[in-house]
Amino acid sequence: MDEQKQQKKPPKKLPRFFTRLIATLVVLAVFLALVIMVAFRDRLNMDSIKRYFTYLSLTRSDSGQAEAFAYDGDLSDTFAVLDGDLLVCSRNAISLYSGSGTQYINQSVSMTNPVVNTNGSLAVVYDAGGSSLYILGQRSLVWSTDQLEPILSARLNRSGQLTVATQASGYRGTVTVYDASYSPVMSISLSSAFVMDAALSDNGHTLATLTVGQSGGAFDTGLSLYTMTYSNGTYQPDAACSLGSGVVLDMRHTSSAVWTLSDRGLAITNHDGQTISADWSDRYLRRYTLSGDGFALALLGKYHAGSQAELWVINQQGQRQALQLNEQVMSIAAAGRYLAVLTGDRLDIYTDQLELYSTLKGTRGARTVLLMPDGSAILVSADSAGFYIP
């Protein structure tokens, strides 16, 4: 009976004073959290949290700059971001550096015209006009070959599938698609027009090819779209359209559309062959990138040289916003929802809505900026590189 009485005793309650104190502290904590979120709403987001944990071990100054490190090469090399690391490609070597300067890859190569294309976690490096191609990822060389016909272009989609356009004897070009283990799964040889570029959609369902030829006696760029059948043979495009007489400088193939940027404008073509465009044929195209998430950048000037320019941000509906610039722009970059503008002594990072996100003054002679999807940047000078974390 005594044991039953003890079991029925109600649990002891905290004194009223402590209960009120705890409640008050909880209310204060919530209030402070709301104040901080309102005060720093432009800086506190998932990207800032990601940056905090990604670069936790990286020593930085109060401005957010990490200590610069020397890299093997110079500003004539090709630079790219590979899964948060700095990729440097020259005619003689492919190198990969972490934010602290640790070198993970030092691959000797022999290339005449090195070109780099990345999908974020993987990179393809190839010798334009040559036969060598390298795939890098996980801080190592994944796959390579030097047995290809002269390479015109090579691109990776988000799934890691590789598309390579090459010259081919008896044809005006061949496009080959490789799976994620780099075995060929589809090949198209064209004879009606010269192949210039090709890319597989991010979802792997549609292949886009760019060709150059003549239409009515004038130079013409054509875009053709094929449904992936994962076999070799003769194919007819499901949709095709003309992109005009502009010289295409870059392309990107998302899951739903092909972005092509030329000296005269930007074209966004869906898989039905319908195109929306932005025209800058009355201006000089100085710099450009298609690396943003759902937007393109074009630095345009009224004259070929000079400090006055406009930076156009063009979204996937073809709508544009413009930023007036009155300083010499050394480099521009885009990744995720951010874009970066590097001038002689300052780096400005904006959102894709052209809202200023972060500014770094005193850029240590940097001449190239690379951007990562979380808004952090890499500044490259003639003999060193350093990370900047907003």
Side-chain angles (χ1 to χ4, degrees), residues 364-375:
R364 304 173 181 173
R367 291 296 177 266
T368 297
V369 61
L370 305 170
L371 206 55
M372 285 166 275
D374 63 9

Side-chain angles (χ1 to χ4, degrees), residues 63-80:
S63 65
Q65 285 182 288
E67 184 176 352
F69 57 87
Y71 66 89
D72 293 329
D74 54 48
L75 287 174
S76 64
D77 295 339
T78 302
F79 304 94

Side-chain angles (χ1 to χ4, degrees), residues 331-363:
S331 177
I332 63 173
R337 68 184 190 94
Y338 301 98
L339 59 102
V341 179
L342 176 66
T343 56
D345 62 351
R346 192 177 75 253
L347 171 67
D348 290 326
I349 298 177
Y350 298 85
T351 69
D352 55 2
Q353 300 301 312
L354 283 180
E355 298 169 346
L356 184 62
Y357 184 74
S358 181
T359 293
L360 173 66
K361 296 181 179 179
T363 51

Side-chain angles (χ1 to χ4, degrees), residues 43-53 338 357 374 389-390:
R43 301 297 300 273
L44 290 178
N45 51 33
M46 290 303 297
D47 290 330
S48 63
I49 295 172
K50 181 181 179 181
R51 290 195 300 266
Y52 175 80
F53 287 103
Y338 301 98
Y357 184 74
D374 63 9
I389 298 90

Side-chain angles (χ1 to χ4, degrees), residues 113-117 124-135 148-156 161-167 173-178 194-200 207-211 248-252:
N113 301 296
V115 181
V116 181
N117 177 262
V124 55
V125 182
Y126 64 95
D127 186 13
S131 60
S132 301
L133 183 147
Y134 306 85
I135 303 291
L148 297 175
E149 296 294 326
I151 304 170
L152 302 172
S153 75
R155 296 183 180 276
L156 290 161
Q161 295 168 289
L162 175 67
T163 305
V164 182
T166 60
Q167 297 178 11
T174 295
V175 176
T176 304
V177 178
Y178 299 78
F194 290 99
V195 176
M196 182 171 58
D197 207 340
L200 186 65
L207 175 65
T209 64
L210 285 178
T211 57
V248 175
L249 304 171
D250 198 5
M251 73 179 297
R252 181 179 178 184

Side-chain angles (χ1 to χ4, degrees), residues 26-67:
V26 170
V27 171
L28 284 174
V30 172
F31 176 75
L32 288 173
L34 290 173
V35 170
I36 292 172
M37 290 178 67
V38 171
F40 298 97
R41 61 186 179 274
D42 294 330
R43 301 297 300 273
L44 290 178
N45 51 33
M46 290 303 297
D47 290 330
S48 63
I49 295 172
K50 181 181 179 181
R51 290 195 300 266
Y52 175 80
F53 287 103
T54 300
Y55 304 105
L56 191 60
S57 61
L58 197 62
T59 302
R60 291 167 279 167
S61 66
D62 292 340
S63 65
Q65 285 182 288
E67 184 176 352

Side-chain angles (χ1 to χ4, degrees), residues 206-380:
T206 307
L207 175 65
T209 64
L210 285 178
T211 57
V212 290
Q214 286 190 338
S215 177
F219 175 85
D220 183 69
T221 299
L223 172 64
S224 298
L225 298 162
Y226 302 82
T227 298
M228 281 294 295
T229 59
Y230 293 92
S231 62
N232 298 333
T234 303
Y235 301 95
Q236 294 298 321
D238 299 286
C241 64
S242 171
L243 299 178
S245 58
V247 178
V248 175
L249 304 171
D250 198 5
M251 73 179 297
R252 181 179 178 184
H253 198 173
T254 66
S255 293
S256 59
V258 181
W259 297 55
T260 48
L261 187 148
S262 77
D263 59 334
R264 297 191 174 189
L266 173 74
I268 305 172
T269 308
N270 65 22
H271 289 164
D272 293 326
Q274 299 174 331
T275 299
I276 56 177
S277 60
D279 181 80
W280 53 67
S281 56
D282 60 339
R283 298 168 183 262
Y284 290 96
L285 177 64
R286 296 181 182 177
R287 301 181 186 276
Y288 58 87
T289 178
L290 293 177
S291 299
D293 187 3
F295 68 93
L297 288 185
L299 182 67
L300 305 165
K302 186 176 180 181
Y303 305 102
H304 189 269
S307 58
Q308 292 187 339
E310 280 189 345
L311 182 66
W312 285 15
V313 182
I314 308 162
N315 65 19
Q316 52 198 346
Q317 286 78 42
Q319 300 168 337
R320 67 175 175 88
Q321 301 180 74
L323 178 67
Q324 300 292 330
L325 298 169
N326 294 308
E327 299 176 79
Q328 190 68 39
V329 176
M330 303 295 178
S331 177
I332 63 173
R337 68 184 190 94
Y338 301 98
L339 59 102
V341 179
L342 176 66
T343 56
D345 62 351
R346 192 177 75 253
L347 171 67
D348 290 326
I349 298 177
Y350 298 85
T351 69
D352 55 2
Q353 300 301 312
L354 283 180
E355 298 169 346
L356 184 62
Y357 184 74
S358 181
T359 293
L360 173 66
K361 296 181 179 179
T363 51
R364 304 173 181 173
R367 291 296 177 266
T368 297
V369 61
L370 305 170
L371 206 55
M372 285 166 275
D374 63 9
S376 51
I378 305 175
L379 295 170
V380 183

